[in-house]
Amino acid sequence: MSETHTIGFLVFEGAKMLDIAGPSEVFAEANLSGTDYRISMLTADGGGVQTSIGVRISADESAFSESRWDTVLIAGGEPFPSKPVPAELASAAEHLAQRAGRLASICTGAFVLGAAGLLDGRRSTTHWKHAGELARRYPKSTVEPDLIFVRDREIYSSAGVTAGIDLALSLLEEDHGSNLARTVARSLVVYMQRAGGQSQFSVALDGPSPRTPALRAVIDQVKADPTAEYSLESLARIALVSPRHLTRLFHENLETTPGRYVELIRFELAKAHLDAGHSVTMAAELAGFGSSESLRRVFVHRLGMSPGRYQRRFLSTDPARAESSSTSVALTTVSAVRQEVVDEHS
């Protein structure tokens, strides 16, 4: 008989249901193989709450009880980061941290950890859309926007929604080894360790345009004509500033260099063309990359996977449709066919 492992879930009004159900299923599936995970729902006031999909969850006890927990998981939800974390919820997280062997957040649950001061001096992550806000609100934490989950001593944080399942599998592996974690992953038909980080799901160019006219002029020009040749000097001429001043503006406003930002614009355009079903060769050409090999290098660097692999993952939820769509587009030219074969083995 396996030793009992107690898990408390801190939930609140509007908590995302999948943040609760996904990790819970990992531990429930492990119990079928002989573990003894016991899950309890905790709320700040001990009362029930309504989740993001309208289903009500009853609390097993108050988060302020004197119970001790092996693991506490904090769900995410739409209230954060658009609203401040209520003081009572932050206090509940702080109280639980003193009574738990390890404390973990799922998605925007990281904002609850931050409000409780539990991310200070630690690395953390959250959903890619909200990583910038987490870093702004809690500057004492080093936010890792591309990681699926982060462990910093006894505090864990994970990215959006299904990343809670990745985190739960990792916790299971810590408790009972990789063989059981792998068995549970196979049973739930999920990856034991997914390839790439959050960048494969994000839209890096989303968000407000820079306020500086010089930067807006450069970005608008590159988006309008991504296939043109852009040197630092030519970009400075577009911005009507010196190359040195343009470099400083990019560092101060976008925390990157002009050249890297041009690459990012082309990368996002290439992803959009791949999502639309274009071949790797065509996507590279339309996005302004010199060759499909150049595009491949950028994809591997940013996502840890080739363009072809990215496309097969995101073109369709139906493998047969994804394969047929990719093939039909690839057949438009002999060179596209050859490139698809090369990329298939990359």
Side-chain angles (χ1 to χ4, degrees), residues 9-16 19 42-44 63-64 72-97 103-120 124-126 133-134 137-138 155-158:
F9 252 103
L10 178 59
V11 297
F12 46 85
E13 285 292 324
K16 190 170 286 292
D19 288 0
L42 314 174
T43 60
F64 290 101
V72 168
L73 298 170
I74 302 176
E78 291 305 320
F80 321 121
S82 57
K83 298 179 182 178
V85 175
E88 187 179 33
L89 186 58
S91 296
E94 187 176 10
H95 178 88
L96 290 166
L103 188 65
S105 66
I106 300 163
C107 197
T108 54
F111 285 83
V112 181
L113 289 179
L118 297 170
L119 295 183
D120 292 356
S124 64
T125 195
T126 188
E133 176 64 17
L134 185 70
R137 198 178 296 186
Y138 308 111
I155 302 293
Y156 302 69
S157 53
S158 64

Side-chain angles (χ1 to χ4, degrees), residues 128 145-148 196-204 264 267-268 271 299 301-305 310 314:
W128 59 267
D146 195 39
L147 296 184
I148 300 298
Q198 293 195 69
S199 297
Q200 61 188 300
F201 306 101
S202 68
V203 181
L264 178 60
F267 169 71
E268 290 293 339
K271 282 206 302 183
F299 262 74
H301 172 72
R302 290 184 175 273
L303 302 184
M305 67 179 75
Y310 167 85
F314 292 96

Side-chain angles (χ1 to χ4, degrees), residues 291-303 305 307:
S291 67
S292 56
E293 179 56 29
S294 297
L295 177 61
R296 183 185 183 283
R297 284 197 297 268
V298 172
F299 262 74
V300 170
H301 172 72
R302 290 184 175 273
L303 302 184
M305 67 179 75

Side-chain angles (χ1 to χ4, degrees), residues 42-261:
L42 314 174
T43 60
D45 62 4
V49 295
Q50 184 167 293
T51 65
S52 58
I53 62 172
V55 173
R56 291 197 63 80
I57 292 180
S58 298
D60 295 298
E61 59 182 277
S62 166
F64 290 101
S65 72
E66 295 305 310
S67 298
R68 293 199 169 271
W69 308 92
D70 295 303
T71 301
V72 168
L73 298 170
I74 302 176
E78 291 305 320
F80 321 121
S82 57
K83 298 179 182 178
V85 175
E88 187 179 33
L89 186 58
S91 296
E94 187 176 10
H95 178 88
L96 290 166
Q98 299 170 11
R99 287 160 177 76
R102 59 192 181 193
L103 188 65
S105 66
I106 300 163
C107 197
T108 54
F111 285 83
V112 181
L113 289 179
L118 297 170
L119 295 183
D120 292 356
R122 301 177 191 270
R123 296 163 60 241
S124 64
T125 195
T126 188
H127 193 289
W128 59 267
K129 287 197 299 186
H130 306 303
E133 176 64 17
L134 185 70
R136 186 195 65 78
R137 198 178 296 186
Y138 308 111
K140 293 182 181 179
S141 176
T142 301
V143 178
E144 304 279 3
D146 195 39
L147 296 184
I148 300 298
F149 62 85
V150 171
R151 175 187 180 182
D152 194 324
R153 288 159 283 172
E154 75 283 4
I155 302 293
Y156 302 69
S157 53
S158 64
V161 199
T162 57
I165 296 175
D166 298 85
L167 174 61
L169 285 169
S170 180
L171 297 177
L172 174 61
E173 183 177 15
E174 282 187 23
D175 297 338
H176 297 285
S178 58
N179 286 339
L180 180 57
R182 190 175 298 108
T183 297
V184 169
R186 286 172 176 166
S187 181
L188 296 178
V189 199
V190 295
Y191 289 105
M192 174 75 165
Q193 181 179 10
R194 73 172 88 183
Q198 293 195 69
S199 297
Q200 61 188 300
F201 306 101
S202 68
V203 181
L205 300 179
D206 271 2
S209 298
R211 296 179 180 179
T212 308
L215 290 182
R216 286 204 305 271
V218 169
I219 292 167
D220 290 344
Q221 174 61 35
V222 177
K223 285 183 177 179
D225 187 10
T227 62
E229 291 290 333
Y230 294 109
S231 64
L232 178 59
E233 290 72 20
S234 66
L235 292 173
R237 286 195 294 272
I238 294 169
L240 301 178
V241 297
S242 70
R244 184 175 180 180
H245 185 55
L246 181 64
T247 299
R248 184 166 61 251
L249 287 174
F250 267 90
H251 275 295
E252 291 175 351
N253 292 269
L254 299 171
E255 298 181 352
T256 189
T257 66
R260 288 175 182 166
Y261 199 81

